[in-house]
Amino acid sequence: MENEYILEIENLSKSFGKNHVLKDINLKVKKGTVMGLMGENGAGKSTMMKCLFGIYDRDDGSIVFDGRPVNFSGPKDALENGVAMVHQELNQCLDRTVLDNMWLGKYPTKGGFVDERYMLNETKNLFARLKMYVNPKQLMRTMSVSQRQMCEIAKAVSYNAKIIVLDEPTSSLTEREVRKLFSIVDDLRKQGISFVYISHKMDEVFEICDEVSVLRDGQMIMTKPTKETTMNELISAMVGRSLDQRFPPVDNTPGETVLELKGLSTQYAPFLNDISFSVKKGEVFGIYGLVGAGRSELLETLFGLRTVKTGKIIYKGKEVKFKNSKEAMEYNFAFVTEERKANGMFAKGNLIFNTTITALDKYMTGPALDNKKMKDATIREISKMHTKCMGPNDNITALSGGNQQKVIIGKWLERDPEVFLLDEPTRGIDVGAKYEIYQLIINMAKQGKTCIVVSSEMPEILGITNRIAVMSNYRLAGVVNTKETNQEELLRLSAKYL
């Protein structure tokens, strides 16, 4: 009788020194199904996947893939044997074409030369089979995150992958792009390909997954068919307690206007066009819109990273013209970027370096930096943000994505900012940690800080803000009071200039 499981992980354990990251993990994925994998940041999801792909040597346990025991030497070995992964932080050669990225490491040759005609034909046929409309000769850098992600899935399929791990695949996608992704996953599932779907988004797990497994503190807490569990049961399994509310009460009281944009347009593409709104002291001001609507570009302009062509930015009654981020920081502006790996952290630095880098003048004793002050500040932020780590000397890349985000937010809190710009602050963060960050944002507003939050998650933008500006095609489509609006109005406004 043929084995019904494509992947069987049994009694998998992994420790780093005295830290037991995985303890006797068992996971079985059936052929042609989607297995959801959930857990708080630091629960062990990434470590488990790294053991599967041979990045880490497991201490104990076995992995059986397609009926045979495996011990891959690394991701390339796993890929060539039918196990692929699409990472949340996409690792692609952005200055090369889609075609080059698809064939990287396996270029076909003819007569001693790379056979580009064969590559092009095969790639076009693959995209057609997946119902993907991508120009193989387009530069990766010019594509949206969602298009690049689709290319990674297509690349996995080109290796005849039998199981594909998707790590937070929808964290930067619009609702329409999510539907397209789910359509592709569904088609591939019908062809017998299996998926491990790592996500913090409960509604997606219930929609696309056949089964769901929950990790907590390195242990497998539960595995159930999605039809036999509930959102409350999943949350309880993940955090060890029940979360009665997804969002804390928005009980801040906005004061006088502190920041105004008047007819703001930018100098270089993509061009923001004639944007005007005001933000109040102590307000949580949301910015919503589809991916590519100009939300991130707006925050970058406010932080001095983009050049204003026409219009004004007025802060505390005076016009400001930030030439760079340093000038914005001098006015007590802070900016948590969307792409933490690319421009939010120093990957080779430890937690002390990453926490103190924005406010080094605070940690001086005489003419020199005081290591004790820097370490104390880092420990303070680790405690305040509930960051899971071994200690302040950990390299930031040793932390899970969500805990890296906590370090980045803590870095800015050390500056005690007046205006906090947050671009997708809870991207890739688990439900328990999200609540903590929501609470932090609202508490900052209650202290009189101004928080401007960009989010692609509709419930989030409606759950923590006082007002919402909706962007559409680099224009302002409207500003609405959160208590007086709904999802339908936000979607209608986001399509206004399309």
Side-chain angles (χ1 to χ4, degrees):
M1 180 179 169
E2 186 184 0
N3 189 349
E4 65 174 319
Y5 297 107
I6 188 69
L7 178 67
E8 299 169 81
I9 297 174
E10 294 185 356
N11 301 321
L12 178 67
S13 296
K14 177 65 182 175
S15 299
F16 296 98
K18 295 179 180 179
N19 186 21
H20 297 285
V21 182
L22 297 175
K23 306 161 195 169
D24 294 322
I25 296 293
N26 291 286
L27 180 74
K28 292 185 177 183
V29 182
K30 294 176 182 175
K31 294 177 180 177
T33 66
V34 180
M35 167 64 80
L37 183 60
M38 305 192 75
E40 289 195 277
N41 296 116
K45 303 186 299 294
S46 295
T47 302
M48 183 169 128
M49 291 301 111
K50 286 177 179 177
C51 289
L52 168 63
F53 283 89
I55 298 170
Y56 291 157
D57 290 328
R58 55 186 182 267
D59 297 338
D60 201 4
S62 64
I63 298 174
V64 176
F65 174 65
D66 203 15
R68 60 186 177 88
V70 293
N71 190 10
F72 299 127
S73 60
K76 187 173 185 291
D77 184 24
L79 188 59
E80 290 171 350
N81 281 280
V83 183
M85 184 165 184
V86 178
H87 296 270
Q88 179 185 351
E89 310 281 359
L90 298 172
N91 294 311
Q92 294 165 318
C93 300
L94 298 182
D95 292 315
R96 306 297 297 178
T97 64
V98 171
L99 199 62
D100 283 327
N101 277 272
M102 291 290 293
W103 291 87
L104 197 64
K106 56 170 185 174
Y107 284 121
T109 57
K110 187 177 181 181
F113 295 94
V114 173
D115 191 346
E116 291 203 12
R117 179 178 292 180
Y118 175 81
M119 287 165 55
L120 187 60
N121 288 337
E122 287 292 301
T123 303
K124 283 181 176 178
N125 290 338
L126 176 63
F127 285 157
R129 179 157 66 93
L130 295 175
K131 299 172 186 171
M132 288 171 51
Y133 306 102
V134 179
N135 177 3
K137 294 189 177 181
Q138 188 173 350
L139 276 182
M140 274 288 179
R141 188 176 295 283
T142 65
M143 302 173 73
S144 69
V145 173
S146 63
Q147 289 173 315
R148 287 166 47 204
Q149 193 175 59
M150 299 301 181
C151 290
E152 280 294 286
I153 294 173
K155 184 176 181 178
V157 174
S158 76
Y159 273 88
N160 296 315
K162 294 178 180 177
I163 188 166
I164 301 173
V165 179
L166 299 176
D167 186 6
E168 293 289 347
T170 65
S171 59
S172 293
L173 305 191
T174 65
E175 184 61 30
R176 188 186 307 165
E177 290 164 341
V178 170
R179 300 267 71 80
K180 175 64 178 172
L181 173 68
F182 284 3
S183 173
I184 289 173
V185 169
D186 206 39
D187 286 345
L188 293 173
R189 171 166 51 186
K190 289 170 184 172
Q191 295 172 31
I193 295 174
S194 304
F195 289 86
V196 174
Y197 191 93
I198 301 173
S199 180
H200 295 302
K201 297 183 179 180
M202 303 260 178
D203 50 348
E204 292 180 2
V205 167
F206 279 102
E207 180 177 350
I208 195 68
C209 299
D210 300 289
E211 292 184 280
V212 58
S213 293
V214 176
L215 273 175
R216 185 174 80 231
D217 297 329
Q219 294 179 296
M220 190 65 76
I221 301 299
M222 64 171 271
T223 298
K224 277 190 175 183
T226 48
K227 292 177 182 176
E228 296 177 14
T229 187
T230 64
M231 191 175 290
N232 284 340
E233 185 179 19
L234 282 184
I235 291 172
S236 182
M238 284 171 63
V239 302
R241 64 188 190 280
S242 177
L243 276 183
D244 298 325
Q245 292 179 302
R246 287 180 67 182
F247 305 101
V250 182
D251 53 0
N252 58 311
T253 306
E256 72 277 8
T257 295
V258 72
L259 181 68
E260 288 181 88
L261 276 63
K262 293 185 175 181
L264 189 74
S265 299
T266 50
Q267 180 80 46
Y268 303 108
F271 303 102
L272 295 175
N273 194 354
D274 192 27
I275 294 171
S276 300
F277 60 77
S278 62
V279 188
K280 297 175 181 177
K281 182 175 181 177
E283 180 174 28
V284 182
F285 188 83
I287 299 179
Y288 182 74
L290 305 178
V291 172
R295 304 166 308 167
S296 297
E297 288 80 2
L298 178 55
L299 292 195
E300 288 167 3
T301 304
L302 288 173
F303 200 62
L305 298 175
R306 290 182 177 271
T307 305
V308 175
K309 182 180 181 182
T310 58
K312 295 179 179 180
I313 300 173
I314 298 170
Y315 179 55
K316 292 185 177 179
K318 295 181 180 179
E319 183 179 358
V320 291
K321 296 180 179 179
F322 301 144
K323 295 186 179 69
N324 50 49
S325 57
K326 184 174 182 291
E327 290 187 5
M329 288 166 66
E330 287 169 357
Y331 276 82
N332 262 351
F333 279 57
F335 183 24
V336 173
T337 61
E338 179 184 12
E339 295 284 346
R340 59 174 166 258
K341 186 177 178 183
N343 48 31
M345 66 187 199
F346 292 88
K348 293 185 178 180
N350 63 11
L351 302 193
I352 295 174
F353 185 91
N354 275 280
T355 300
T356 59
I357 189 65
T358 61
L360 290 175
D361 55 327
K362 285 178 62 175
Y363 316 113
M364 304 291 286
T365 297
L369 283 168
D370 188 321
N371 288 332
K372 184 179 185 304
K373 285 184 179 178
M374 295 168 73
K375 186 174 182 179
D376 288 347
T378 306
I379 292 170
R380 179 170 64 244
E381 292 302 335
I382 288 171
S383 174
K384 189 189 298 182
M385 300 300 296
H386 305 291
T387 306
K388 287 186 180 178
C389 62
M390 298 290 284
N393 289 308
D394 277 7
N395 189 289
I396 193 166
T397 54
L399 274 59
S400 67
N403 284 300
Q404 290 173 2
Q405 187 77 332
K406 289 181 178 182
V407 174
I408 291 165
I409 292 172
K411 163 184 77 176
W412 289 112
L413 292 179
E414 280 295 295
R415 287 190 63 86
D416 193 24
E418 292 292 323
V419 178
F420 212 164
L421 311 173
L422 300 114
D423 194 352
E424 302 284 6
T426 65
R427 179 183 170 199
I429 290 181
D430 63 75
V431 64
K434 277 186 178 183
Y435 191 93
E436 293 172 1
I437 289 176
Y438 299 150
Q439 189 72 68
L440 177 78
I441 291 169
I442 293 165
N443 284 343
M444 285 179 67
K446 287 161 77 171
Q447 294 165 21
K449 315 293 187 186
T450 299
C451 299
I452 302 178
V453 182
V454 165
S455 178
S456 299
E457 293 188 37
M458 190 90 72
E460 179 172 278
I461 207 81
L462 289 167
I464 64 166
T465 60
N466 303 113
R467 290 185 300 148
I468 304 165
V470 183
M471 299 285 291
S472 176
N473 200 21
Y474 301 98
R475 301 182 183 197
L476 181 67
V479 178
V480 295
N481 289 319
T482 304
K483 289 181 179 178
E484 298 167 7
T485 191
N486 53 42
Q487 295 195 14
E488 289 74 20
E489 185 177 20
L490 293 187
L491 285 171
R492 181 175 54 77
L493 286 169
S494 66
K496 185 174 179 180
Y497 294 114
L498 297 182

